[in-house]
Amino acid sequence: MADVIPFRGILYNVSRVSMEDVLAPPYDIITPEYREALYMQSPYNIVRIDFGKEEPADSEAENKYARARKYLDAWIQEGVFIRSENPSFYLYEMSYTIQNVRKRLLGFLGLVRLEEFGKGSIYPHECTHSKPKQDRLNLMRSCEANTSPIFSLYKSAEGRIADILSKISSAKPYMESADITGDVHRLWQIDDAEHIEIIRTELRDKAVFIADGHHRYETALEFHRETALKSPSPGAPAFDHVLMFLANMRDEGITILPTHRLLRTLPEDMSLLLSKYFEIEPVKNDVDIRANLSGKKHAFGFYQKGSDVWHILKYKGGDLSEIHPALREVDVIILHELILKKIFHTTDIGYEMDIGSALDKVNGGEFAAAFFLNPTCVDDVEKAALSSVRMPPKSTYFYPKLLTGLVINKWQIDSDRF
């Protein structure tokens, strides 16, 4: 099934830089203002490579992608980046607090062989938009590297990988850094041959589920197709693996947060239409909607501009016969397929994770109403993936986000691979 291999990663030289100055969050959650702050933070911040700024004089030959390659090559030459001597996996620990609960997620970074979706053991779970893929493809073409990892999951009860990760994480890490929220990220190198073989063996018959990074995976596939069409020259690098962070689905450190939906328009007979499929319960407008929804199965919060009450919608069932049976009771599927498509007949929606910000956008008139939902559970991600069903965009928000810059995979010539 999954072919997972170690690699000689490129890492920051911790004797040359402060890790908190050079790492960055994923490109797709960086605002223009925050990117500017990262540029000012260090001349070696990874954002200059992974999500560089456009300049007024940019051309086809000189642009942010060309600059990314120049930075990458220069930092390797200067010794700011160093390359591991031996093929390795890299243990990655994230310690974080969410809703006043302290959690710890352990996984590792490695290379996974690329496969077409539906033809192997790698499964997506969510739809994507096309625009970010072109940006990531341009970056990959220029740098010939994976500059940030894909967040992926596997499911195993064997425990051998968990034992290795737990043992190694008790030692001093190679690098440690706190992110802007105070969450702590640590990295260790795993180059012991026995440990590597145990990890590879445990994953050999396991499926891999993409949690976060569908764009990057599809981009890597496209880049692999491009290079496969060209006549390979002797010693040419192979582009058939992609950098992934792999965590066990059974790890209690995995957190998924909900992304709430905002609507610009509402049908006039909304209550009548909803009452066919939902029990509708009014609640006071000062309610803690997250606490009110927590633990309730197939329940949604609803708030409309100008209303002095919230409503809790409890799904009664029905009218999703065309949906795969395993997914008919997944909240985000019910919301999109039944409420938005069949009842409201709309695709004009917005997204917001923060409840307060969602309410501000409704009360401020930008949107007419908002639906609030519980987080998608990790088992539903597995169900969707194995059913070959793509969930709607932003069905899951895996937290915390992997930092960019911990390890880079720069493609190597075949003789230099594991």
Side-chain angles (χ1 to χ4, degrees), residues 202-213:
E202 183 168 336
L203 291 180
R204 199 160 281 145
D205 63 345
K206 305 297 187 296
V208 172
F209 305 95
I210 297 176
D212 190 6

PDB file of all heavy atoms in Angstrom, residues 202-213:
ATOM      1  N   GLU A 202       5.291  -0.861   9.393  1.00  0.00           N
ATOM      2  CA  GLU A 202       3.962  -0.650   9.970  1.00  0.00           C
ATOM      3  C   GLU A 202       3.032   0.066   8.992  1.00  0.00           C
ATOM      4  O   GLU A 202       1.822  -0.161   8.988  1.00  0.00           O
ATOM      5  CB  GLU A 202       4.060   0.136  11.272  1.00  0.00           C
ATOM      6  CG  GLU A 202       2.704   0.312  11.960  1.00  0.00           C
ATOM      7  CD  GLU A 202       2.806   0.834  13.384  1.00  0.00           C
ATOM      8  OE1 GLU A 202       3.867   0.653  14.016  1.00  0.00           O
ATOM      9  OE2 GLU A 202       1.815   1.416  13.864  1.00  0.00           O
ATOM     10  N   LEU A 203       3.598   0.925   8.151  1.00  0.00           N
ATOM     11  CA  LEU A 203       2.765   1.698   7.230  1.00  0.00           C
ATOM     12  C   LEU A 203       2.539   1.008   5.891  1.00  0.00           C
ATOM     13  O   LEU A 203       1.738   1.480   5.083  1.00  0.00           O
ATOM     14  CB  LEU A 203       3.409   3.065   6.978  1.00  0.00           C
ATOM     15  CG  LEU A 203       3.410   4.027   8.165  1.00  0.00           C
ATOM     16  CD1 LEU A 203       4.082   5.333   7.787  1.00  0.00           C
ATOM     17  CD2 LEU A 203       1.998   4.292   8.660  1.00  0.00           C
ATOM     18  N   ARG A 204       3.226  -0.091   5.658  1.00  0.00           N
ATOM     19  CA  ARG A 204       3.211  -0.699   4.328  1.00  0.00           C
ATOM     20  C   ARG A 204       1.815  -1.121   3.879  1.00  0.00           C
ATOM     21  O   ARG A 204       1.496  -1.063   2.695  1.00  0.00           O
ATOM     22  CB  ARG A 204       4.169  -1.896   4.318  1.00  0.00           C
ATOM     23  CG  ARG A 204       4.592  -2.337   2.929  1.00  0.00           C
ATOM     24  CD  ARG A 204       5.869  -3.158   2.982  1.00  0.00           C
ATOM     25  NE  ARG A 204       7.056  -2.320   3.136  1.00  0.00           N
ATOM     26  CZ  ARG A 204       8.135  -2.676   3.833  1.00  0.00           C
ATOM     27  NH1 ARG A 204       8.157  -3.819   4.484  1.00  0.00           N
ATOM     28  NH2 ARG A 204       9.169  -1.868   3.887  1.00  0.00           N
ATOM     29  N   ASP A 205       0.954  -1.544   4.799  1.00  0.00           N
ATOM     30  CA  ASP A 205      -0.394  -1.977   4.418  1.00  0.00           C
ATOM     31  C   ASP A 205      -1.464  -0.981   4.845  1.00  0.00           C
ATOM     32  O   ASP A 205      -2.642  -1.319   4.931  1.00  0.00           O
ATOM     33  CB  ASP A 205      -0.696  -3.355   5.026  1.00  0.00           C
ATOM     34  CG  ASP A 205      -0.699  -3.345   6.546  1.00  0.00           C
ATOM     35  OD1 ASP A 205      -0.194  -2.357   7.141  1.00  0.00           O
ATOM     36  OD2 ASP A 205      -1.193  -4.305   7.157  1.00  0.00           O
ATOM     37  N   LYS A 206      -1.051   0.260   5.099  1.00  0.00           N
ATOM     38  CA  LYS A 206      -1.990   1.264   5.594  1.00  0.00           C
ATOM     39  C   LYS A 206      -2.355   2.260   4.495  1.00  0.00           C
ATOM     40  O   LYS A 206      -1.553   2.569   3.614  1.00  0.00           O
ATOM     41  CB  LYS A 206      -1.387   2.039   6.772  1.00  0.00           C
ATOM     42  CG  LYS A 206      -0.912   1.178   7.935  1.00  0.00           C
ATOM     43  CD  LYS A 206      -2.039   0.401   8.590  1.00  0.00           C
ATOM     44  CE  LYS A 206      -1.592  -0.312   9.847  1.00  0.00           C
ATOM     45  NZ  LYS A 206      -0.577  -1.341   9.610  1.00  0.00           N
ATOM     46  N   ALA A 207      -3.581   2.738   4.575  1.00  0.00           N
ATOM     47  CA  ALA A 207      -4.011   3.836   3.707  1.00  0.00           C
ATOM     48  C   ALA A 207      -3.529   5.158   4.300  1.00  0.00           C
ATOM     49  O   ALA A 207      -3.332   5.278   5.514  1.00  0.00           O
ATOM     50  CB  ALA A 207      -5.530   3.841   3.579  1.00  0.00           C
ATOM     51  N   VAL A 208      -3.343   6.145   3.441  1.00  0.00           N
ATOM     52  CA  VAL A 208      -2.948   7.485   3.867  1.00  0.00           C
ATOM     53  C   VAL A 208      -4.061   8.446   3.474  1.00  0.00           C
ATOM     54  O   VAL A 208      -4.488   8.487   2.316  1.00  0.00           O
ATOM     55  CB  VAL A 208      -1.611   7.915   3.215  1.00  0.00           C
ATOM     56  CG1 VAL A 208      -1.320   9.374   3.507  1.00  0.00           C
ATOM     57  CG2 VAL A 208      -0.471   7.025   3.717  1.00  0.00           C
ATOM     58  N   PHE A 209      -4.539   9.219   4.436  1.00  0.00           N
ATOM     59  CA  PHE A 209      -5.645  10.151   4.214  1.00  0.00           C
ATOM     60  C   PHE A 209      -5.103  11.582   4.293  1.00  0.00           C
ATOM     61  O   PHE A 209      -4.497  11.959   5.289  1.00  0.00           O
ATOM     62  CB  PHE A 209      -6.735   9.951   5.267  1.00  0.00           C
ATOM     63  CG  PHE A 209      -7.249   8.539   5.344  1.00  0.00           C
ATOM     64  CD1 PHE A 209      -6.731   7.650   6.273  1.00  0.00           C
ATOM     65  CD2 PHE A 209      -8.234   8.098   4.475  1.00  0.00           C
ATOM     66  CE1 PHE A 209      -7.193   6.344   6.342  1.00  0.00           C
ATOM     67  CE2 PHE A 209      -8.702   6.795   4.529  1.00  0.00           C
ATOM     68  CZ  PHE A 209      -8.181   5.914   5.462  1.00  0.00           C
ATOM     69  N   ILE A 210      -5.332  12.355   3.253  1.00  0.00           N
ATOM     70  CA  ILE A 210      -4.873  13.749   3.259  1.00  0.00           C
ATOM     71  C   ILE A 210      -5.815  14.558   4.152  1.00  0.00           C
ATOM     72  O   ILE A 210      -7.017  14.638   3.898  1.00  0.00           O
ATOM     73  CB  ILE A 210      -4.833  14.329   1.841  1.00  0.00           C
ATOM     74  CG1 ILE A 210      -3.807  13.558   0.999  1.00  0.00           C
ATOM     75  CG2 ILE A 210      -4.478  15.819   1.889  1.00  0.00           C
ATOM     76  CD1 ILE A 210      -3.747  13.992  -0.442  1.00  0.00           C
ATOM     77  N   ALA A 211      -5.251  15.138   5.195  1.00  0.00           N
ATOM     78  CA  ALA A 211      -6.034  15.957   6.118  1.00  0.00           C
ATOM     79  C   ALA A 211      -6.038  17.417   5.670  1.00  0.00           C
ATOM     80  O   ALA A 211      -7.086  18.040   5.544  1.00  0.00           O
ATOM     81  CB  ALA A 211      -5.460  15.828   7.537  1.00  0.00           C
ATOM     82  N   ASP A 212      -4.849  17.942   5.410  1.00  0.00           N
ATOM     83  CA  ASP A 212      -4.714  19.346   5.035  1.00  0.00           C
ATOM     84  C   ASP A 212      -3.566  19.452   4.035  1.00  0.00           C
ATOM     85  O   ASP A 212      -2.451  19.022   4.322  1.00  0.00           O
ATOM     86  CB  ASP A 212      -4.413  20.184   6.285  1.00  0.00           C
ATOM     87  CG  ASP A 212      -4.507  21.678   6.032  1.00  0.00           C
ATOM     88  OD1 ASP A 212      -4.919  22.069   4.926  1.00  0.00           O
ATOM     89  OD2 ASP A 212      -4.172  22.449   6.949  1.00  0.00           O
ATOM     90  N   GLY A 213      -3.839  20.002   2.871  1.00  0.00           N
ATOM     91  CA  GLY A 213      -2.804  20.111   1.856  1.00  0.00           C
ATOM     92  C   GLY A 213      -3.185  19.456   0.545  1.00  0.00           C
ATOM     93  O   GLY A 213      -2.315  19.043  -0.222  1.00  0.00           O
TER      94      GLY A 213
END
